[in-house]
C-alpha cells in the first residue's frame, strides 16, 4: 500500500471578472492570439475608449504556429495600429502571462518569437506611454472572438473602423459591466 500525498493543491476563490475601461486619457488595446486544430493560428484585437466605445479592431490568420507566437503577433499588430491611429496613451491588455512577462522584461527564453518580441520592444521604446497589464480571458472576450475569426482566415489582416456585427453583443455586455465567474488561485 502506498502513502498518497497530495502536492500542489491551491485554494481557489470565486471572482467575477469583467472588462474594465482604461485610465482617464488612455485608450485600451485588448489583444489575443490562438491556434486551433492542426495548429492553424490567428490573432485579433480591439481598441476602446474610456466608456468602452469601439475605436478600432482587427484580426488576421497567421498560418501555422503556436498560441504564444500568435499572441505576440496580436500585440505587434495592435500596437502598430494604435500608433497609426495617433493614440499616445495606451493600456495594453493581454490574457497571456507569458507574453506580458516577455514584453515587460525584454527577456526572451529561446528563439521562439524572438524577432517579433524585438519589433514589439522597438515600438514600446518610442515616444508614447504604454502600460502593459495581464487580464484574465474573461476580460478579453472581444479580442478572443476576433481571434477565433482570424484563425479561419488565410494570411490577410482585416481592420474594422466599426464593431463587426459578429461581436456586437460581446461589446455591449462589456460596456454594461457584465461579469463572468472564474476560480482564481488564492
Amino acid at each position: 500500500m502506498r502513502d498518497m500525498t497530495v502536492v500542489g493543491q491551491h485554494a481557489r476563490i470565486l471572482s467575477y471578472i469583467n472588462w474594465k475601461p482604461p485610465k482617464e486619457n488612455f485608450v485600451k488595446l485588448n489583444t489575443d492570439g490562438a491556434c486551433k486544430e492542426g495548429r492553424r493560428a490567428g490573432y485579433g484585437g480591439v481598441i476602446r475608449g474610456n466608456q468602452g466605445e469601439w475605436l478600432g479592431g482587427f484580426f488576421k490568420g497567421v498560418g501555422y504556429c503556436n498560441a504564444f507566437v500568435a499572441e505576440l503577433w496580436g500585440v505587434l499588430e495592435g500596437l502598430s495600429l494604435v500608433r497609426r491611429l495617433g493614440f499616445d496613451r495606451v493600456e495594453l491588455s493581454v490574457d497571456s502571462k507569458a507574453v506580458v512577462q516577455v514584453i515587460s522584461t525584454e527577456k526572451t527564453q529561446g528563439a521562439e518569437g524572438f524577432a517579433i518580441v524585438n519589433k514589439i520592444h522597438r515600438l514600446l521604446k518610442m515616444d508614447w506611454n504604454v502600460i502593459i497589464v495581464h487580464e484574465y480571458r474573461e476580460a478579453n472576450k472581444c479580442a478572443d472572438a476576433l481571434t477565433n475569426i482570424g484563425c479561419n482566415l488565410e494570411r490577410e489582416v482585416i481592420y474594422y473602423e466599426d464593431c463587426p456585427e459578429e461581436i456586437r453583443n460581446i461589446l455591449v455586455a462589456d460596456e454594461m459591466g457584465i461579469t463572468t465567474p472564474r476560480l482564481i488561485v488564492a
Side-chain angles (χ1 to χ4, degrees):
M1 181 173 189
R2 287 186 170 156
D3 183 15
M4 300 295 281
T5 306
V6 178
V7 178
Q9 270 191 338
H10 300 281
R12 295 181 184 260
I13 57 171
L14 182 64
S15 292
Y16 291 89
I17 310 296
N18 64 305
W19 182 85
K20 292 177 181 54
K23 295 173 21 174
E24 191 172 331
N25 298 320
F26 276 71
V27 297
K28 187 161 199 172
L29 168 63
N30 290 87
T31 65
D32 195 21
C35 84
K36 300 296 178 183
E37 65 251 11
R39 294 176 48 100
R40 187 174 179 86
Y43 62 76
V46 59
I47 306 161
R48 292 188 269 186
N50 291 90
Q51 305 303 310
E53 71 277 16
W54 183 275
L55 300 173
F58 61 93
F59 56 80
K60 180 180 181 179
V62 291
Y64 297 94
C65 66
N66 63 34
F68 177 75
V69 172
E71 290 261 7
L72 290 172
W73 277 116
V75 169
L76 179 61
E77 186 71 47
L79 288 173
S80 297
L81 178 58
V82 167
R83 186 80 178 170
R84 282 194 309 273
L85 293 174
F87 297 111
D88 61 358
R89 292 177 181 205
V90 181
E91 189 176 300
L92 169 62
S93 174
V94 183
D95 63 12
S96 166
K97 287 182 180 179
V99 169
V100 169
Q101 181 179 10
V102 165
I103 62 178
S104 296
T105 63
E106 296 191 29
K107 294 179 183 175
T108 56
Q109 297 174 359
E112 194 168 57
F114 182 76
I116 305 165
V117 171
N118 282 341
K119 289 178 182 180
I120 291 168
H121 288 155
R122 281 197 295 276
L123 273 173
L124 292 173
K125 289 177 182 172
M126 294 178 147
D127 186 27
W128 60 338
N129 189 353
V130 179
I131 299 168
I132 304 164
V133 296
H134 170 263
E135 289 186 312
Y136 292 109
R137 182 181 322 116
E138 293 82 355
N140 205 23
K141 289 181 180 179
C142 282
D144 180 66
L146 291 170
T147 295
N148 287 327
I149 297 169
C151 286
N152 295 316
L153 292 178
E154 293 302 319
R155 295 175 187 259
E156 59 183 309
V157 63
I158 299 188
Y159 299 102
Y160 283 97
E161 289 182 17
D162 298 311
C163 180
E165 194 61 40
E166 301 96 322
I167 69 163
R168 190 167 310 280
N169 289 340
I170 300 170
L171 182 75
V172 170
D174 283 352
E175 289 173 354
M176 293 173 58
I178 294 176
T179 62
T180 304
R182 179 183 178 111
L183 287 174
I184 298 174
V185 175

